[in-house]
Amino acid sequence: EKLNSVYNCFLTIICNISPYCKKLNMVSSVRLLRLFKLFAQPRYLFDNEANHHLVFFLLETFDNIIQYQYEGNQQVVYAMIQNKSVFYQLNELQLPPIRSSAADKPSAKTEDGAESKQQDPAKTPRNSDGEFVPTAEWLAAWKKKLPLTTSLRLLQYLIPQLEDACEKAGGSLDEDAMLYFLRTTTMVGLLPVPHPIVIRKYQINQFTHLWFTTFTWGVIFLRNQVLPLFDGGAITLFTISVL
């Protein structure tokens, strides 16, 4: 939760460099998919009107790796296959029945008996207390734009191939054999036409500015103790003010 304010910034950086990542190792691949699994949870997506933007960044990251650097990133593809259910569930995402029924209540009537206007689905849906309430219209508005096509097509092609290879190998394949299979399998002609690479510029805001300023001064303080730039023994508590 302490990093919530900088998730958008960090994922923008990851997305920007993803077309140029030639070979991610297993640890990086697993952590990338772990992030995706976290942010794609319905509970997280429905908690805030902007949380789905993080899923867009990660899906675009996967698209960039698959389309531009597939040859050296079998670890990423393998991690995607291991987490295939997350992609399928996101593709079938719907509002829970309780939320759906609450969002679909008939509009209230005004004092003179006239029915109030329905809420514009393009605007952020909120209840009478000003709290965010996900609606079917809000969900449909961004779900149809999810860049899932490339990832789903990859999974739909590779998973049956892997299952067939497992059967031929006697029922199972070890990790090295699966990675070799992925490395020797081409996706040329099977995926959508690569989209243009999009590089997003960093847009400063008060949260990222505060985080980076605090981090920078923390590093300066910790790395300048011999000969000390600051008297660490005299400092018991300090704050950093951002003008």
Side-chain angles (χ1 to χ4, degrees), residues 6-239:
V6 292
Y7 279 157
N8 196 289
C9 177
F10 288 166
L11 290 181
T12 298
I13 295 172
I14 292 175
C15 189
N16 281 347
I17 66 174
S18 60
Y20 312 103
C21 294
K22 294 184 178 295
K23 190 174 183 179
L24 293 181
N25 61 25
M26 181 182 66
V27 175
S28 299
S29 302
V30 169
R31 288 181 177 176
L32 193 61
L33 267 297
R34 191 176 297 169
L35 271 180
F36 178 63
K37 186 175 182 179
L38 171 66
F39 293 141
Q41 290 179 358
R43 183 176 61 179
Y44 184 81
L45 290 171
F46 297 147
D47 187 58
N48 184 280
E49 66 269 26
N51 282 352
H52 61 277
H53 293 158
L54 306 181
V55 173
F56 274 79
F57 284 132
L58 287 169
L59 285 174
E60 189 172 324
T61 296
F62 298 140
D63 282 1
N64 288 336
I65 291 174
I66 294 169
Q67 295 279 20
Y68 293 102
Q69 301 294 345
Y70 176 85
E71 185 176 346
N73 279 297
Q74 285 74 43
Q75 294 283 6
V76 176
V77 176
Y78 182 52
M80 290 176 65
I81 292 173
Q82 289 181 311
N83 291 273
K84 59 183 182 295
S85 60
V86 183
F87 292 88
Y88 296 151
Q89 290 169 8
L90 183 61
N91 190 46
E92 301 295 331
L93 183 66
Q94 294 180 347
L95 283 177
I98 296 178
R99 288 183 180 271
S100 181
S101 60
D104 294 337
K105 286 183 179 179
S107 56
K109 292 187 176 181
T110 58
E111 293 182 358
D112 59 0
E115 195 173 74
S116 61
K117 294 182 179 179
Q118 292 185 348
Q119 190 176 39
D120 184 353
K123 296 181 179 179
T124 301
R126 298 189 181 279
N127 60 18
S128 58
D129 297 326
E131 298 175 340
F132 170 69
V133 178
T135 63
E137 292 80 7
W138 167 83
L139 174 60
W142 61 262
K143 184 184 172 185
K144 64 183 179 182
K145 300 176 183 178
L146 278 175
L148 268 168
T149 303
T150 300
S151 296
L152 290 178
R153 192 169 297 182
L154 174 85
L155 295 173
Q156 289 166 0
Y157 176 76
L158 287 179
I159 290 175
Q161 298 285 332
L162 275 173
E163 291 174 348
D164 185 57
C166 287
E167 290 182 5
K168 292 179 179 179
S172 64
L173 286 175
D174 59 24
E175 183 176 317
D176 290 337
M178 286 191 177
L179 291 174
Y180 175 78
F181 173 84
L182 295 174
R183 187 164 54 250
T184 56
T185 301
T186 179
M187 298 299 296
V188 176
L190 299 172
L191 298 176
V193 177
H195 59 279
I197 296 175
V198 178
I199 302 298
R200 297 175 177 84
K201 294 184 179 180
Y202 169 64
Q203 296 181 349
I204 193 170
N205 60 60
Q206 61 175 340
F207 302 109
T208 55
H209 184 63
L210 176 62
W211 191 90
F212 282 121
T213 303
T214 305
F215 176 79
T216 301
W217 278 105
V219 172
I220 292 173
F221 175 78
L222 292 174
R223 294 188 179 181
N224 289 275
Q225 294 302 304
V226 183
L227 297 168
L229 176 63
F230 302 100
D231 184 0
I235 297 177
T236 55
L237 179 66
F238 68 95
T239 60

